[in-house]
Amino acid sequence: MADRGDEMVIAGMRPYSPNDANNPYLRLHRGVSFVLFVDSLILLYITSIIASGLFGNSAGLVTGIVATFLIVVWLAYRARNPMAYWFGCAVIGIAGLFFGFNALYSLVGVIRGDAVFLLWVFLFSWAMFGSFRRSMSHFHPIYKNTYFGHEQGIPSLEMEAGEMLAACPHCMAVLAIQPNLLSHEDKCPYCNLHLVSKALASMYEQE
């Protein structure tokens, strides 16, 4: 069986990097920063549309102010500035609400018989859950400690030979796991959800 160590990273994050091998939450922060950047662009686009309808000639000024705010928040969040922590959480959460409303609107289109909206239901639902998931990360004490520079918040674990630290892709609890022994049946002891998806497990079983 192939080594699954490179697969055991938080959903949406990059695999192993020598600079953050001991703290998966630093990888999570980089991933959340990227999501914040994308969600900021989406919110800026929405703002420009709304401003055009409400403010007329002043739409450019309003859009510019919002763009400046979003850029400052993203740059500060990426640098782990304490003042940007909850602003970043709010931006991602608002984007998640937007995706949720669009998913419901697309679902209405499917109910009315337009199958084209089925694709949009899937895309907006996926984006909604992804944004809400990243937003909820800010309420996790270890992620918060890491962001504010209190990296000692990650508990020290006594690991046996062949074990490594990895974060549960659902609740982000730090676990000591043996990558080459993981299967779809293995669950997180905290949230009781599967650590490895069935598709990923079957792919390695075929090898």
Side-chain angles (χ1 to χ4, degrees):
M1 182 181 295
D3 191 339
R4 301 181 193 173
D6 290 340
E7 305 291 346
M8 282 303 300
V9 295
I10 300 172
M13 305 299 105
R14 295 187 308 168
Y16 172 82
S17 170
N19 295 327
D20 52 32
N22 296 323
N23 193 339
Y25 293 96
L26 290 177
R27 297 200 299 274
L28 175 61
H29 171 258
R30 284 202 295 270
V32 175
S33 297
F34 177 74
V35 172
L36 175 61
F37 175 75
V38 174
D39 285 353
S40 295
L41 291 179
I42 294 173
L43 290 183
L44 182 60
Y45 174 71
I46 298 171
T47 300
S48 65
I49 295 176
I50 296 176
S52 298
L54 296 180
F55 300 103
N57 295 332
S58 301
L61 176 61
V62 174
T63 302
I65 293 174
V66 174
T68 301
F69 170 77
L70 292 175
I71 291 173
V72 170
V73 168
W74 176 68
L75 290 175
Y77 188 91
R78 190 177 63 169
R80 289 197 285 169
N81 186 299
M83 296 186 64
Y85 188 76
W86 292 114
F87 282 117
C89 175
V91 169
I92 297 174
I94 292 172
L97 289 175
F98 166 76
F99 294 138
F101 286 134
N102 278 274
L104 289 176
Y105 176 80
S106 300
L107 182 60
V108 172
V110 173
I111 295 175
R112 290 178 177 175
D114 192 343
V116 175
F117 280 100
L118 188 61
L119 175 61
W120 292 112
V121 170
F122 171 76
L123 291 177
F124 282 123
S125 297
W126 177 77
M128 176 189 68
F129 285 114
S131 291
F132 283 154
R133 195 169 168 183
R134 297 300 186 271
S135 182
M136 292 303 296
S137 300
H138 295 80
F139 296 92
H140 194 285
I142 299 181
Y143 178 73
K144 188 174 183 179
N145 285 339
T146 301
Y147 182 95
F148 286 100
H150 308 307
E151 297 177 12
Q152 67 273 17
I154 293 182
S156 58
L157 300 174
E158 294 184 4
M159 293 186 293
E160 300 177 356
E163 288 186 332
M164 61 172 287
L165 290 180
C168 170
H170 305 287
C171 70
M172 299 183 299
V174 177
L175 308 172
I177 56 99
Q178 291 188 346
N180 60 330
L181 298 180
L182 284 176
S183 69
H184 178 64
E185 302 303 321
D186 293 316
K187 296 182 179 181
C188 172
Y190 297 98
C191 67
N192 202 37
L193 295 176
H194 295 287
L195 293 173
V196 181
S197 67
K198 184 176 294 185
L200 179 62
S202 62
M203 180 179 68
Y204 279 97
E205 288 172 358
Q206 292 173 1
E207 295 180 359

Coordinates of all heavy atoms in Angstrom, one line a residue, residues 8 18 21 27 34 38 61 70 78 88 95 98 103 127 129 132 146 155 163 190 192 199:
M8 N -2.8 13.4 3.9 CA -3.4 13.8 5.1 C -3.1 15.3 5.5 O -2.3 15.6 6.3 CB -2.9 12.9 6.2 CG -3.6 11.5 6.2 SD -5.4 11.7 6.4 CE -5.5 12.5 7.9
P18 N 8.4 21.8 4.3 CA 9.4 21.8 5.4 C 9.2 22.9 6.4 O 9.5 22.8 7.5 CB 10.7 21.8 4.7 CG 10.5 21.4 3.3 CD 9.1 21.8 3.0
A21 N 6.0 21.8 8.9 CA 5.8 20.4 9.1 C 5.2 20.2 10.5 O 4.4 19.2 10.7 CB 7.1 19.6 8.9
R27 N -0.6 25.9 7.6 CA -1.1 25.6 6.2 C -2.5 26.0 6.1 O -3.0 26.4 5.0 CB -0.9 24.1 5.9 CG 0.6 23.6 6.0 CD 0.8 22.3 5.2 NE 0.0 21.2 5.8 CZ 0.5 20.5 6.8 NH1 1.6 20.7 7.3 NH2 -0.3 19.5 7.2
F34 N -6.2 32.4 1.0 CA -6.5 32.3 -0.4 C -8.0 32.3 -0.6 O -8.5 33.0 -1.5 CB -6.0 31.0 -1.0 CG -6.4 30.8 -2.5 CD1 -5.8 31.5 -3.5 CD2 -7.4 29.8 -2.8 CE1 -6.1 31.3 -4.8 CE2 -7.7 29.7 -4.1 CZ -7.1 30.4 -5.1
V38 N -10.3 35.2 -2.8 CA -11.3 34.8 -3.9 C -12.7 35.4 -3.5 O -13.4 36.0 -4.3 CB -11.4 33.3 -4.1 CG1 -12.5 33.0 -5.0 CG2 -10.1 32.8 -4.6
L61 N -16.9 55.5 -6.8 CA -16.4 55.9 -5.5 C -16.7 54.8 -4.5 O -15.8 54.4 -3.7 CB -16.9 57.3 -5.1 CG -16.4 57.7 -3.7 CD1 -14.9 57.9 -3.7 CD2 -17.1 59.1 -3.4
L70 N -11.3 45.8 1.3 CA -11.1 44.4 1.1 C -9.6 44.1 0.9 O -9.1 43.1 1.4 CB -11.9 43.9 0.0 CG -13.5 43.9 0.2 CD1 -14.2 43.5 -1.1 CD2 -13.9 42.9 1.3
R78 N -3.4 38.0 5.7 CA -2.3 37.2 5.3 C -1.1 37.3 6.2 O -0.3 36.4 6.4 CB -2.0 37.5 3.8 CG -1.0 36.5 3.2 CD -0.7 36.8 1.7 NE -0.1 38.1 1.6 CZ 0.5 38.5 0.4 NH1 0.4 37.7 -0.7 NH2 1.0 39.7 0.3
G88 N -11.7 39.2 8.4 CA -11.5 38.2 7.5 C -12.6 37.1 7.6 O -13.2 36.6 6.7
A95 N -19.7 36.1 2.1 CA -19.6 35.4 0.8 C -20.3 34.1 0.8 O -21.0 33.7 -0.1 CB -18.1 35.2 0.4
F98 N -24.0 34.7 0.4 CA -24.3 35.0 -1.0 C -24.4 33.7 -1.8 O -25.3 33.5 -2.6 CB -23.2 35.9 -1.6 CG -23.2 35.9 -3.1 CD1 -24.1 36.7 -3.8 CD2 -22.3 35.3 -3.9 CE1 -24.2 36.8 -5.1 CE2 -22.3 35.3 -5.2 CZ -23.2 36.1 -5.9
A103 N -27.6 29.4 -4.3 CA -27.9 28.0 -4.4 C -29.4 27.7 -4.3 O -30.0 26.9 -5.0 CB -27.2 27.2 -3.3
A127 N -19.4 26.0 -2.9 CA -18.8 27.2 -2.5 C -19.3 27.7 -1.1 O -18.6 28.2 -0.3 CB -19.0 28.3 -3.5
F129 N -20.6 25.8 1.4 CA -20.1 25.0 2.5 C -18.6 25.3 2.7 O -18.1 25.3 3.9 CB -20.3 23.5 2.3 CG -21.8 23.1 2.5 CD1 -22.5 22.7 1.4 CD2 -22.3 23.2 3.7 CE1 -23.9 22.3 1.6 CE2 -23.6 22.8 4.0 CZ -24.4 22.3 2.9
F132 N -18.3 28.7 4.6 CA -18.8 28.6 6.0 C -17.7 27.8 6.8 O -17.5 28.1 8.0 CB -20.1 27.9 6.1 CG -21.3 28.9 5.7 CD1 -22.5 28.4 5.2 CD2 -21.1 30.2 5.9 CE1 -23.5 29.2 4.9 CE2 -22.1 31.1 5.6 CZ -23.3 30.6 5.1
T146 N -2.8 30.0 16.8 CA -1.7 30.0 15.8 C -1.7 31.3 15.1 O -0.7 31.9 14.8 CB -2.0 28.9 14.8 OG1 -2.0 27.6 15.5 CG2 -0.9 28.9 13.7
P155 N -1.2 21.0 21.2 CA -0.7 20.0 22.3 C 0.4 19.2 21.8 O 0.5 18.8 20.6 CB -1.9 19.2 22.6 CG -2.8 19.3 21.3 CD -2.5 20.6 20.8
E163 N 4.5 7.3 13.0 CA 3.4 8.2 13.2 C 3.8 9.6 12.8 O 5.0 10.0 12.8 CB 2.9 8.2 14.6 CG 2.2 7.0 15.1 CD 1.6 7.1 16.5 OE1 2.1 7.9 17.3 OE2 0.6 6.4 16.7
Y190 N -12.8 12.9 17.9 CA -13.5 14.0 18.4 C -14.8 14.3 17.7 O -15.8 14.5 18.4 CB -12.6 15.3 18.3 CG -11.3 15.2 19.1 CD1 -10.1 14.7 18.5 CD2 -11.3 15.5 20.4 CE1 -9.0 14.6 19.2 CE2 -10.1 15.3 21.2 CZ -9.0 14.9 20.6 OH -7.8 14.8 21.3
N192 N -16.0 12.1 15.2 CA -16.5 10.8 14.7 C -16.8 10.8 13.2 O -17.6 10.0 12.8 CB -17.7 10.5 15.5 CG -18.0 9.0 15.5 OD1 -17.0 8.2 15.6 ND2 -19.2 8.6 15.4
A199 N -13.5 7.5 -1.7 CA -12.9 7.5 -3.0 C -11.4 7.4 -2.9 O -10.7 6.7 -3.6 CB -13.3 8.8 -3.7

